[in-house]
Amino acid sequence: MDGARPGNVIRRQPHSTRRSPLEAAVALALLIIAYWAFSATRSPSNVSRANSGGGCNFPAIFNFGDSNSDTGGKSAAFHRIPYPNGVTFFGKPSGRYSDGKVILDFVGGSTIEPLNTRIFQGGYSPISLDIQLWQFEQFKARTLELHEEGSSYAKTGLPRPEDFGKALYTIDIVQNDLHSALESMTEEQMLELLPSLTTRLAGAVDKLYQQGARAFWIHNTGPIGCLPFSVITYPPEPNNVDGNGCVASHNEIAQALNRLLKDQVSKLRLRLPDAKLNFIDLYSVRYSLISEAKKHGFADPLGCCCGRYGDRHFDCWKKAVVNGTEISLTPCRDPLKVISWDGVHYSHAANEWAAERIINGSLSDIHVPLLESCPNPASP
């Protein structure tokens, strides 16, 4: 859940307020869903601020994603994401896998595949895209029911019925699928997996459209071969390294997926002509930053602020044992100079740099900025 603005979806009710069983169920579902399966806000700060000059006024943003866009979901559902996460911007853990904000914060941990043995054993979030969709459908149905009953709680603490059709729906989810596959498949097998991933994602857009969604921002995946985790875990051979020192074959897999995903978006536009579908080239902006890190004030593009000790990668909030000695991994002195926060997720500074270029539409395949991505007024 993003920032604490007066119009936020969740509001704490006085202890003396008694709710009906349905209200209590929706309140519980909202606490789980909004923090766990998707992020939802009313009047996102950047959208509202920029909207003073005209353009869209999205009443809410619903995000379906993994830990790169999670603003507190996994933390609320399972366990608090510990220090040093959040150290740069919030000064304390904030439910984000970063030292500060993720891209969604500037615009206003899951997989596409359902949970299976491969994904479970890899330690990835069990909240797949299918589950996120199901929970959203339940949340919307219960919210509308409460409004029909005239619930005061619905009026003050839940989205309005019309908000669902006017909201922005963002989808930023696939990196975990690729990481999970890398741990258990050959690269040839991974390439065979990609069509099913993009088909599932397109199916999710269809389902959201049936629920009234009309404005979509769909992010492709970034250069996974440039993540410090990949470079450490899968040291590239001389014939498999690109000009930036990244694992070339891993980036080729990401690009192959992105081509398939773009084709799916093109097909969606034909099926859903009244929807506004923006396909955002996150790969290009991430790779550009890595390629020109020093030009933009960043240090080693393949380094990370925490989580690395020599040639090994660890969770940066855990103690590690190296050669029989327990060590505590501390974050770097200046997280604003790094692109990767923990070897897997991007830093606050890198997310801000990318978000600035996403919002203006320069990464959209139809070159439409955020504030011109409104759904058709005539759409439900």
Side-chain angles (χ1 to χ4, degrees):
M1 188 77 175
D2 290 350
R5 295 180 61 84
N8 276 356
V9 175
I10 295 179
R11 287 188 176 181
R12 187 178 301 277
Q13 298 295 311
H15 291 293
S16 60
T17 300
R18 299 190 62 182
R19 299 176 183 162
S20 68
L22 179 58
E23 288 177 334
V26 173
L28 177 60
L30 183 59
L31 285 169
I32 296 174
I33 297 170
Y35 283 91
W36 182 5
F38 62 88
S39 302
T41 65
R42 283 186 184 172
S43 301
S45 57
N46 277 12
V47 176
S48 298
R49 183 166 58 251
N51 190 57
S52 59
C56 302
N57 184 17
F58 293 110
I61 292 178
F62 294 102
N63 178 66
F64 298 79
D66 56 23
S67 56
N68 282 303
S69 55
D70 184 10
T71 57
K74 188 175 181 181
S75 182
F78 298 111
H79 55 79
R80 188 179 187 186
I81 298 172
Y83 179 87
N85 289 288
V87 65
T88 297
F89 182 82
F90 300 99
K92 60 182 179 180
S94 64
R96 295 156 175 81
Y97 283 97
S98 179
D99 59 311
K101 294 182 177 181
V102 297
I103 284 182
L104 183 63
D105 289 304
F106 292 103
V107 174
S110 304
T111 62
I112 293 176
E113 281 196 289
L115 182 67
N116 55 34
T117 301
R118 170 171 56 81
I119 291 174
F120 177 78
Q121 290 180 341
Y124 299 96
S125 171
I127 314 305
S128 67
L129 184 56
D130 286 345
I131 293 177
Q132 294 186 31
L133 287 170
W134 177 82
Q135 291 180 320
F136 173 77
E137 291 167 0
Q138 295 296 309
F139 168 63
K140 181 185 175 185
R142 293 173 179 177
T143 297
L144 296 181
E145 186 175 344
L146 284 175
H147 277 289
E148 290 175 359
E149 295 176 355
S151 165
S152 59
Y153 170 69
K155 293 178 181 178
T156 60
L158 294 173
R160 299 162 298 185
E162 62 269 23
D163 288 347
F164 292 98
K166 297 178 180 179
L168 177 67
Y169 292 76
T170 61
I171 301 177
D172 185 342
I173 181 171
V174 77
Q175 183 174 305
N176 282 355
D177 294 272
L178 298 184
H179 276 305
S180 171
L182 280 170
E183 294 171 356
S184 58
M185 295 182 177
T186 65
E187 292 179 1
E188 291 73 19
Q189 290 172 326
M190 285 186 66
L191 290 171
E192 296 175 359
L193 173 69
L194 302 185
S196 66
L197 295 179
T198 57
T199 298
R200 284 183 182 275
L201 195 150
V205 174
D206 277 319
K207 290 181 180 179
L208 288 170
Y209 180 87
Q210 294 167 11
Q211 289 287 325
R214 291 297 182 269
F216 297 90
W217 270 46
I218 301 170
H219 294 179
N220 67 12
T221 197
I224 60 171
C226 296
L227 294 174
F229 171 83
S230 295
V231 177
I232 296 169
T233 308
Y234 310 97
E237 298 293 336
N239 63 348
N240 191 29
V241 61
D242 69 8
N244 290 317
C246 308
V247 185
S249 59
H250 290 187
N251 282 348
E252 289 166 3
I253 291 171
Q255 290 174 308
L257 180 138
N258 289 340
R259 288 192 293 271
L260 292 172
L261 183 55
K262 188 173 183 179
D263 288 343
Q264 289 285 0
V265 172
S266 297
K267 294 175 182 177
L268 284 166
R269 289 187 178 124
L270 294 176
R271 293 202 303 271
L272 314 173
D274 61 330
K276 182 67 68 73
L277 288 132
N278 255 307
F279 180 73
I280 308 301
D281 188 5
L282 197 58
Y283 183 99
S284 291
V285 72
R286 296 293 201 196
Y287 196 79
S288 175
L289 178 58
I290 290 166
S291 301
E292 302 179 327
K294 291 184 179 179
K295 174 183 175 181
H296 299 292
F298 291 90
D300 178 9
L302 301 184
C304 55
C305 188
C306 66
R308 181 169 189 169
Y309 187 86
D311 60 354
R312 298 177 64 180
H313 178 270
F314 302 93
D315 290 334
C316 65
W317 53 89
K318 295 181 180 178
K319 291 184 177 181
V321 177
V322 179
N323 297 326
T325 302
E326 185 178 83
I327 60 172
S328 296
L329 301 175
T330 57
C332 60
R333 293 183 178 180
D334 192 356
L336 295 177
K337 296 294 183 181
V338 300
I339 293 176
S340 177
W341 163 239
D342 58 4
V344 176
H345 305 94
Y346 289 88
S347 68
H348 171 94
N351 285 328
E352 183 175 23
W353 191 90
E356 290 172 353
R357 287 149 183 82
I358 289 174
I359 292 172
N360 67 18
S362 61
L363 300 174
S364 162
D365 66 328
I366 55 176
H367 304 290
V368 174
L370 177 65
L371 294 182
E372 295 178 16
S373 299
C374 319
N376 187 332
S379 299

